[in-house]
Amino acid sequence: MSRIAGVLKTLKGQGRKALIPYITAGDPHPDLTVELMHTLVGAGADIIELGVPFSDPMADGPVIQLACERALIHGTSLRQVIGMVKEFRRTDKDTPVVLMGYLNPMEAMGFETFADAAVDAGVDGILTVDLPPEEADEVAPLFTQRELDAIFLLAPTTTDDRIRAISEHSSGYVYYVSVKGVTGSAKINVEEVASKVAHIHELTALPVGVGFGIRDAETAAAVGRVSDGVIVGSVLVDTIARNQADIDQLKRALTDLLHPMREALDSLAS
């Protein structure tokens, strides 16, 4: 059982939902990323999605686009991001880490080289935004052989047949994009999400994490009632942007944002 599957199974047995924060590696500076990852765990994160900065993040809105720019200014590369995970693993052997990004950096590094390095560093899953399962024939076997979870996206417009097909190629969890748009672009409609996620659960046995549009404890709890986990991204990245000049204030701000979400999700189990 993968580290991701193990954590999600434990949480399910406790009646609890996963809190999965996203930050962009290298933002606001590569030297701070590991420290921020530990801050997220301390605030209640169950799994971390670590964004690999890319020059053309097509699925992301302005907030994460700017985070990628800040990271790339410092020369943050895919190899460096993998190195950050390796450093994180020196003191945290338990929290799963998912690398979230785009295909080009992996292809430039070499898929097999990337997969080997990711496993060696302690990466648990890969979410490649612009890689649909139909085009993953070269990459997917490399991940499977190395027990790296391949995580794919589902959208509000994804058909039933495609949900089944994507689920067959997925492991760990599937990521349901709750809005029709880029990250940070729209307010979440919880009723629509509840209906869609319930339907997805009828079509796959995999846990369903919901992302895009979760900004506070209230929406985290609302989404947590109908999903297996909530994925929080843009609001955290925006918090980093606004507090990047003071690392201590930044860590407090991230904790102040994430900890109430943790409490709200845990209240669902009582």
Side-chain angles (χ1 to χ4, degrees):
M1 182 179 296
S2 72
R3 196 156 22 202
I4 293 172
V7 164
L8 292 173
K9 182 179 180 180
T10 297
L11 289 170
K12 184 176 182 179
Q14 297 169 344
R16 300 171 65 227
K17 305 303 176 78
L19 179 58
I20 309 173
Y22 165 98
I23 60 172
T24 302
D27 176 37
H29 191 280
D31 292 345
L32 300 177
T33 297
V34 174
E35 191 172 353
L36 294 183
M37 291 171 71
H38 287 301
T39 298
L40 298 178
V41 175
D46 297 298
I47 298 169
I48 293 174
E49 286 189 356
L50 187 62
V52 179
F54 184 55
S55 57
D56 187 22
M58 65 188 75
D60 295 301
V63 170
I64 294 179
Q65 288 179 21
L66 290 171
C68 287
E69 290 181 13
R70 290 191 295 270
L72 291 172
I73 285 172
H74 297 294
T76 307
S77 67
L78 177 55
R79 288 185 183 276
Q80 284 181 307
V81 176
I82 293 171
M84 293 170 188
V85 178
K86 193 167 190 174
E87 183 181 347
F88 176 75
R89 283 280 170 251
R90 292 175 183 169
T91 50
D92 189 318
K93 308 294 186 184
D94 301 320
T95 306
V97 176
V98 175
L99 294 188
M100 182 173 182
Y102 295 83
L103 187 63
N104 184 268
M106 286 188 286
E107 188 172 18
M109 185 174 177
F111 293 131
E112 188 164 1
T113 300
F114 163 72
D116 286 339
V119 169
D120 179 68
V123 173
D124 300 285
I126 310 294
L127 197 168
T128 310
V129 176
D130 54 347
L131 180 66
E134 298 90 339
E135 299 177 14
D137 290 346
E138 183 178 356
V139 181
L142 297 175
F143 293 168
T144 301
Q145 292 163 10
R146 292 158 178 79
E147 299 183 344
L148 280 169
D149 283 324
I151 298 163
F152 290 97
L153 301 173
L154 300 176
T157 54
T158 303
T159 64
D160 287 3
D161 286 345
R162 185 157 174 76
I163 290 171
R164 294 188 187 96
I166 289 173
S167 298
E168 288 176 2
H169 288 84
S170 301
S171 58
Y173 58 94
V174 291
Y175 185 136
Y176 176 61
V177 176
S178 63
V179 299
K180 299 174 184 177
V182 295
T183 55
S185 64
K187 184 177 180 180
I188 193 169
N189 184 318
V190 176
E191 290 184 2
E192 288 183 2
V193 170
S195 176
K196 186 68 175 184
V197 171
H199 186 61
I200 292 170
H201 274 132
E202 294 175 356
L203 302 174
T204 179
L206 286 170
V208 180
V210 177
F212 289 45
I214 298 169
R215 305 189 63 82
D216 53 32
E218 182 181 0
T219 53
V223 171
R225 288 188 183 94
V226 300
S227 69
D228 301 290
V230 298
I231 302 159
V232 186
S234 290
V235 67
L236 295 174
V237 176
D238 183 57
T239 299
I240 291 172
R242 290 185 287 103
N243 295 276
Q244 59 183 302
D246 186 335
I247 182 61
D248 290 331
Q249 174 58 34
L250 171 53
K251 291 192 292 184
R252 286 194 295 270
L254 290 175
T255 299
D256 289 346
L257 183 62
L258 207 59
H259 187 64
M261 295 186 188
R262 173 78 277 161
E263 291 182 328
L265 289 174
D266 286 347
S267 71
L268 301 176
S270 59

